[in-house]
Amino acid sequence: MRELCVGIDLGTTHGVVAWAKREAGAEVEVFPIPQLVTMGQRQARALLPSFLYAPLPGELAEDPFGDAPWAIGEVARRRGREVPGRVVSSAKSWLCHAAVDRTAAILPWGASDEDGELPRLSPVEASTRLLAHIRRVWDQAHPGRPLAEQEVVLTVPASFDQTARLLTVQAARDAGLTPRLLEEPQAAFYDAMAHLGLQRLGELSGPAGEPALILICDVGGGTTDLTLIRVSRDAAGALAVERVAVGRHLLLGGDNMDLALAHLCESRLVAPPAHLDARRFAELVLACRAAKETLLAPGAGECAAIALAGSGSALVGSTLRTELEKDEVNRVVLEGFFPPCSRTDSPKRGRSGLRAFGLPYEHDAAITRHLAAFVASHAPAETPIRAVLFNGGVFRAERTAERVLEVVRSWGEPSCERLPERDPDLAVARGAVAYGLALAGHGLLIGGGSAQGFYVGIEGAEKRAVCVVPRGAREGERHVAAGLPLALRVGRPVRFELFAADHAVHAPGEIVRLDDERFSLLSPVASSFDAEGSGDEVQVALVGELSPVGTLELSCIERDEQQPRRFALAFELRARATSNEARVSERPRPSVRPASARFDEARTAIERVFGKAASAVKEREVKDLWRELTRILGERNTWGGELCRALYDVVAPLAKARRRSLDHERVFWMLVGYCLRPGYGHPLDPGRIRALSPLFEQGLVFQEEARGWQQFWIAWRRVAGGLAENLQTHIRDRVDPFLAPAGHAGKKPKGMKPQALDEMLELASSLERVAPERRAKLGEWLIERTWTEQNPRLWAAIGRLGARAPAYASVHHAVATRVAESWLDHLLREKWSEVPTAPRAAMLLARATGDRTRDVSGELRERVAQALEKVNADSDWVRAVREVLPVEDRERAEFFGEELPAGLRLVV
């Protein structure tokens, strides 16, 4: 039996551990976490800073906690201020960043590693190492009560999606723990209930037991979490507490305030438009964080000094100094993040006001406007907001809590009170323990169930989904989408699109129409199911439940069988564009091809050319197959995604027939590339790509024919977005010897010919998942060629290689900023009138991302914007250089060199 309940608050800024015996009346205690405070001094403290520092060689004499090659805790936070390029921070925020591969070693973000000795971590591994440190030091302090054998409750932001929750669970399990998850605002409320008492809590409801709402406003270092709790009494007077709503994920918190203060100080340290490089700006952010914490603490002075040690000849080796005053810190924090607003206000859209370090912070930093939108959506006018509970380190500054309370009262809630909170740094961990005790029967549990309903997409002409787990579902409840005949494909991998919504309650099995405003697309769920002689599909019912751990579990249960099989579905935790294959179908199941006489005729034409009856096919029929398909199906630009994939599924199994003649081979690759482009976007594409991949190594049979190589390279460029990193790297290994300048080329591989080199180059430059250093090397080779060649394709390729915002890959694959700046400097010296690809290449190289580690300098971006205006370039290109704009499907189509099939959702 588990003797203790242990609560772990793994925060963006720091971690806290609390515990109590699992018995009635148990006192909750905080566990002081042993850690290094300097390289030679250890100490146990209530807070474990969530920082990991990679010591310089010889810097750390011993590793007392087994954290090597990292130092964790206070020493990491301190050294991170001095050497920011060697520190990992905000790992928790990275866990919910879908634009990067969260399982890849990408941290420290943007850090240069000239010598190759800097260790790197994935966001998952960083979280694992923090938890493993906690487990080790706990076990040392409690040898008879190892942490893995206790009831562990681990807190997460309420707005964490299912992928971020699963990654958190994965990190904990990798650290040797099997925790339950609890949302942080609920944890804070459990702590409030513990010290307020149920009688005081019940007084918030109306005199006749009318329900009242309590708003929890939790603003931590990395996120803002908003939650509504309803307190009421039943007819017998029993108190009921329910969580009724959770706000959407807001990557907005103390980190953003530090950034805002750093921008203010930067304008004083260097004269605009110049700015500090990423490393020194990171140092400035940490200095501003320390100054903010000092100035907002009780009894603080009126100002704090900011000093950056000199670096390099550009700053003449001098120390840069300025000051932050308490009044301006209050002004930046209050007016920038907590401005007055009405209940009808909503967050502003558009350009972000902050330049960050790779994380997708909110465009509108005004937390009060996000709060207004949340209350307007989820708080009925007839149910008053009686109280606000504040949590998070931001509210250590009394004025911030007062401002939020003023705003809420101005919305017609004049009697709204502030619930007293204990130490906000410790409340979440203590509340996690209170929750664990309540689960054991020693306290009141918060009800309400899931704040969101979950839906699985189904095939069809309309965007529809079936509800699997309704909003309000409770842990352990099994929900079956009964009455809906569904067919599951077996004998191959399958993938389902998953959606979440918090606007209504739908019954399991209810079909709803999807829209982007109310339904959020989550990471897909996927698996592979054995056929076991049951044909290619099985009649199933969708089943879902919230696990006791706190995650969503989905499965398909075979229908009408005495011993039904259960097909479990797993979330895909990597980049969405490279996820496993997918499909779910509604009965009657839509065909895998368009059901029409025209398609049947097109299929017959393809099978006549590539089928078994080869002797009856004339050479002209092979050459004219494209023309024949256009006659049957209409112009190619009208072929939608489903039609293209259906055509691909006809020709792909006939791959061996491409060897019959040069024209068979050429037309095969034309069809394959065009119909599978861009290699992702359709549920079955990953499986198609896996089946196609071995054909690259086989190359061409008719190797001396340039036309065949041209279509071969074009086909692989068209599907590049679906190719995994290892295959992309292998392709570069094969083609680089043909693209490298004299003296750099390695041995040319057998089976490859230097034919259609321009198309080979376009393929190589479209492989975004190749290591940045490898892509930069290719770019340097091309830059060298531009001195003597007037080939517009060179600059088109350089633009793709140096793009600040990848078209489909994780953003950690972008080449270094200094590389892009050097290429831009060269490009701006070219005569753009003679290089038609120059404007687009310049836009790609200078595009604003909001990530200082990727963005080129503001001065250089402005030069590019002016150059684009001078040649009357697309106005959207100019905006993309000056403002942070998302990459849209139209731009991805331009990247791949042609219009993409209609109907594909290109989620990256």
Side-chain angles (χ1 to χ4, degrees):
M1 179 179 177
R2 297 182 174 183
E3 184 179 351
L4 305 179
C5 179
V6 181
I8 302 177
D9 172 15
L10 188 65
T12 306
T13 306
H14 57 250
V16 181
V17 178
W19 66 278
K21 292 183 177 181
R22 297 181 71 210
E23 58 187 35
E27 182 179 351
V28 178
E29 300 183 35
V30 173
F31 170 61
I33 304 173
Q35 58 195 281
L36 288 173
V37 294
T38 68
M39 286 301 176
Q41 180 186 7
R42 68 182 79 175
Q43 194 176 93
R45 296 186 175 184
L47 306 184
L48 175 73
S50 302
F51 292 78
L52 301 94
Y53 171 73
L56 293 163
E59 185 178 7
L60 183 60
E62 62 173 334
D63 177 26
F65 302 114
D67 296 329
W70 300 89
I72 291 174
E74 177 60 26
V75 69
R77 186 179 69 86
R78 289 184 177 182
R79 286 294 285 148
R81 293 177 183 173
E82 301 159 357
V83 194
R86 302 184 68 85
V87 69
V88 172
S89 61
S90 301
K92 184 175 176 179
S93 296
W94 287 97
L95 280 180
C96 53
H97 188 359
V100 300
D101 184 347
R102 289 160 280 188
T103 63
I106 61 175
L107 303 176
W109 182 254
S112 61
D113 185 19
E114 302 294 339
D115 299 325
E117 56 82 27
L118 177 64
R120 292 185 181 273
L121 294 170
S122 71
V124 174
E125 188 181 356
S127 300
T128 294
R129 285 183 172 271
L130 290 167
L131 288 169
H133 176 93
I134 289 171
R135 180 181 59 79
R136 284 193 294 267
V137 297
W138 171 279
D139 290 351
Q140 291 171 6
H142 305 84
R145 298 169 173 174
L147 188 58
E149 297 179 10
Q150 310 310 313
E151 180 72 38
V152 176
V153 178
L154 179 62
T155 62
V156 294
S159 52
F160 254 21
D161 65 18
Q162 287 300 313
T163 300
R165 290 171 190 246
L166 283 168
L167 289 170
T168 302
V169 170
Q170 177 182 321
R173 287 175 175 165
D174 291 346
L177 303 175
T178 307
R180 286 177 174 267
L181 298 185
L182 175 66
E183 296 169 0
E184 290 164 4
Q186 283 200 63
F189 196 74
Y190 273 108
D191 185 57
M193 287 197 297
H195 76 265
L196 284 176
L198 298 184
Q199 181 177 348
R200 174 69 182 88
L201 194 63
E203 293 172 359
L204 295 173
S205 61
E210 298 93 344
L213 293 177
I214 298 173
L215 172 66
I216 305 176
C217 189
D218 184 352
V219 183
T223 58
T224 289
D225 258 346
L226 305 173
T227 295
L228 278 175
I229 298 285
R230 182 172 57 217
V231 178
S232 60
R233 291 189 180 276
D234 61 20
L239 186 66
V241 179
E242 293 184 311
R243 192 273 311 278
V244 295
V246 169
R248 70 179 185 85
H249 181 73
L250 298 175
L251 202 58
L252 183 60
D255 289 353
N256 304 75
M257 298 170 195
D258 303 335
L259 278 169
L261 293 170
H263 281 290
L264 175 66
C265 290
E266 182 184 36
S267 64
R268 300 171 182 171
L269 295 172
V270 292
H275 69 271
L276 298 171
D277 61 34
R279 184 190 66 82
R280 303 197 80 207
F281 187 75
E283 185 180 345
L284 177 60
V285 171
L286 292 173
C288 287
R289 174 181 296 169
K292 177 195 71 177
E293 292 170 353
T294 298
L295 293 173
L296 296 182
E302 294 302 313
C303 65
I306 300 290
L308 297 183
S311 174
S313 59
L315 293 172
V316 201
S318 61
T319 297
L320 300 178
R321 300 179 186 277
T322 187
E323 287 185 344
L324 271 176
E325 296 180 357
K326 180 187 291 188
D327 287 345
E328 60 187 357
V329 171
N330 277 313
R331 185 178 68 252
V332 167
V333 172
L334 291 178
E335 302 309 319
F337 294 86
F338 299 98
C341 68
S342 72
R343 184 167 177 158
T344 58
D345 282 349
S346 58
K348 296 179 180 178
R349 302 299 177 193
R351 182 180 179 181
S352 173
L354 296 174
R355 292 169 61 91
F357 288 94
L359 290 167
Y361 291 126
E362 288 296 316
H363 289 290
D364 190 344
I367 292 171
T368 43
R369 283 196 285 270
H370 291 284
L371 179 58
F374 171 68
V375 169
S377 297
H378 298 288
E382 63 274 12
T383 305
I385 297 177
R386 290 282 173 82
V388 179
L389 175 65
F390 294 105
N391 191 62
V394 167
F395 294 115
R396 278 190 169 279
E398 187 68 19
R399 190 68 189 94
T400 59
E402 291 174 356
R403 170 59 64 84
V404 172
L405 202 58
E406 291 169 4
V407 170
V408 174
R409 286 171 174 167
S410 73
W411 297 343
E413 308 283 357
S415 60
C416 181
E417 64 177 276
R418 175 181 178 178
L419 290 183
E421 67 270 358
R422 292 192 280 183
D423 190 328
D425 288 332
L426 309 178
V428 169
R430 283 198 273 220
V433 176
Y435 166 70
L437 294 176
L439 286 174
H442 308 307
L444 180 66
L445 281 169
I446 298 173
S450 172
Q452 295 179 313
F454 297 95
Y455 306 76
V456 169
I458 55 179
E459 284 186 348
E462 296 180 347
K463 294 174 61 177
R464 299 185 303 163
V466 57
C467 179
V468 183
V469 176
R471 183 183 176 199
R474 301 177 188 277
E475 288 181 6
E477 289 180 347
R478 191 167 180 256
H479 300 274
V480 181
L484 180 68
L486 297 172
L488 173 70
R489 283 198 163 190
V490 293
R492 66 178 66 186
V494 294
R495 173 176 168 273
F496 301 77
E497 283 191 330
L498 185 67
F499 301 85
D502 64 358
H503 65 282
V505 177
H506 297 104
E510 186 176 349
I511 296 177
V512 298
R513 290 188 177 184
L514 297 171
D515 65 73
D516 294 337
E517 289 296 322
R518 298 186 302 162
F519 292 86
S520 301
L521 178 65
L522 306 179
S523 291
V525 288
S527 192
S528 181
F529 309 123
D530 294 332
E532 296 185 6
S534 57
D536 67 345
E537 63 182 34
V538 175
Q539 298 293 309
V540 298
L542 283 170
V543 178
E545 67 178 271
L546 298 177
S547 73
V549 172
T551 57
L552 177 66
E553 293 184 353
L554 296 174
S555 59
C556 294
I557 303 296
E558 194 171 12
R559 298 168 62 93
D560 304 324
E561 296 290 336
Q562 289 185 349
Q563 295 182 332
R565 289 175 290 171
R566 178 179 179 271
F567 303 97
L569 300 172
F571 277 88
E572 296 174 357
L573 303 182
R574 293 182 179 271
R576 291 171 180 163
T578 59
S579 55
N580 294 332
E581 186 176 353
R583 175 182 176 84
V584 64
S585 61
E586 182 189 5
R587 279 290 192 183
R589 179 173 64 84
S591 173
V592 295
R593 58 169 176 77
S596 70
R598 289 192 305 155
F599 180 82
D600 289 338
E601 188 178 352
R603 180 183 60 183
T604 299
I606 293 173
E607 291 176 343
R608 176 171 173 78
V609 169
F610 291 99
K612 295 181 179 179
S615 58
V617 179
K618 297 179 181 179
E619 180 181 352
R620 175 53 57 185
E621 288 184 73
V622 181
K623 292 181 177 180
D624 288 348
L625 179 58
W626 265 115
R627 186 180 302 172
E628 179 66 5
L629 292 176
T630 301
R631 181 191 67 78
I632 296 169
L633 300 170
E635 294 298 322
R636 280 184 287 170
N637 60 7
T638 65
W639 298 1
E642 290 295 335
L643 176 57
C644 283
R645 295 311 191 259
L647 292 171
Y648 174 86
D649 289 343
V650 173
V651 72
L654 306 175
K656 290 183 179 179
R658 75 189 190 282
R659 301 173 177 272
R660 292 174 182 168
S661 71
L662 165 64
D663 289 320
H664 277 90
E665 194 163 50
R666 178 178 57 82
V667 172
F668 173 83
W669 286 112
M670 290 174 67
L671 270 172
V672 163
Y674 189 81
C675 293
L676 192 52
R677 74 195 200 285
Y680 69 102
H682 186 279
L684 292 175
D685 283 350
R688 295 181 175 114
I689 288 290
R690 282 195 298 273
L692 180 68
S693 296
L695 299 190
F696 178 84
E697 194 61 28
Q698 296 176 21
L700 297 185
V701 174
F702 302 91
Q703 295 185 6
E704 303 303 322
E705 295 292 338
R707 291 181 300 163
W709 284 110
Q710 180 185 43
Q711 294 306 322
F712 183 79
W713 304 129
I714 289 175
W716 289 102
R717 185 255 298 162
R718 281 171 163 164
V719 304
L723 305 181
E725 183 172 344
N726 59 346
L727 180 55
Q728 292 201 1
T729 301
H730 177 68
I731 292 174
R732 280 290 305 273
D733 291 341
R734 303 286 280 171
V735 303
D736 276 7
F738 300 104
L739 300 174
H744 294 270
K747 184 177 179 181
K748 293 180 173 57
K750 294 181 180 179
M752 295 287 174
K753 298 292 181 180
Q755 302 279 11
L757 288 177
D758 280 348
E759 301 297 348
M760 182 192 290
L761 171 61
E762 290 205 13
L763 165 61
S765 64
S766 299
L767 301 175
E768 291 188 329
R769 295 193 179 97
V770 173
E773 298 78 12
R774 187 83 178 268
R775 299 175 68 227
K777 177 60 68 177
L778 176 57
E780 295 299 330
W781 294 345
L782 303 184
I783 288 288
E784 185 176 332
R785 288 174 57 181
T786 62
W787 290 101
T788 57
E789 295 182 42
Q790 292 295 319
N791 183 352
R793 285 189 164 187
L794 295 177
W795 279 112
I798 292 168
R800 286 191 291 270
L801 288 165
R804 302 295 77 209
Y808 61 84
S810 170
V811 295
H812 77 275
H813 288 291
V815 303
T817 302
R818 56 179 175 77
V819 172
E821 289 180 334
S822 69
W823 295 353
L824 269 174
D825 183 66
H826 185 48
L827 179 54
L828 288 169
R829 301 172 192 272
E830 294 281 326
K831 294 181 179 179
W832 287 15
S833 59
E834 299 175 4
V835 187
T837 56
R840 175 168 171 76
M843 181 275 292
L844 292 173
L845 291 165
R847 184 175 194 134
T849 68
D851 178 0
R852 188 175 288 250
T853 61
R854 280 186 289 150
D855 283 348
V856 301
S857 71
E859 180 181 9
L860 187 54
R861 286 194 295 113
E862 184 55 32
R863 286 175 59 198
V864 171
Q866 292 176 10
L868 289 171
E869 290 174 331
K870 188 175 181 180
V871 297
N872 296 316
D874 189 323
S875 60
D876 286 343
W877 293 1
V878 179
R879 285 189 63 212
V881 170
R882 287 180 170 147
E883 304 175 29
V884 178
L885 301 177
V887 178
E888 298 181 351
D889 284 354
R890 174 181 60 83
E891 297 176 83
R892 294 192 178 99
E894 291 173 354
F895 175 91
F896 289 106
E898 59 200 317
E899 186 175 338
L900 299 180
L904 294 185
R905 175 180 296 157
L906 303 185
V907 180
V908 294

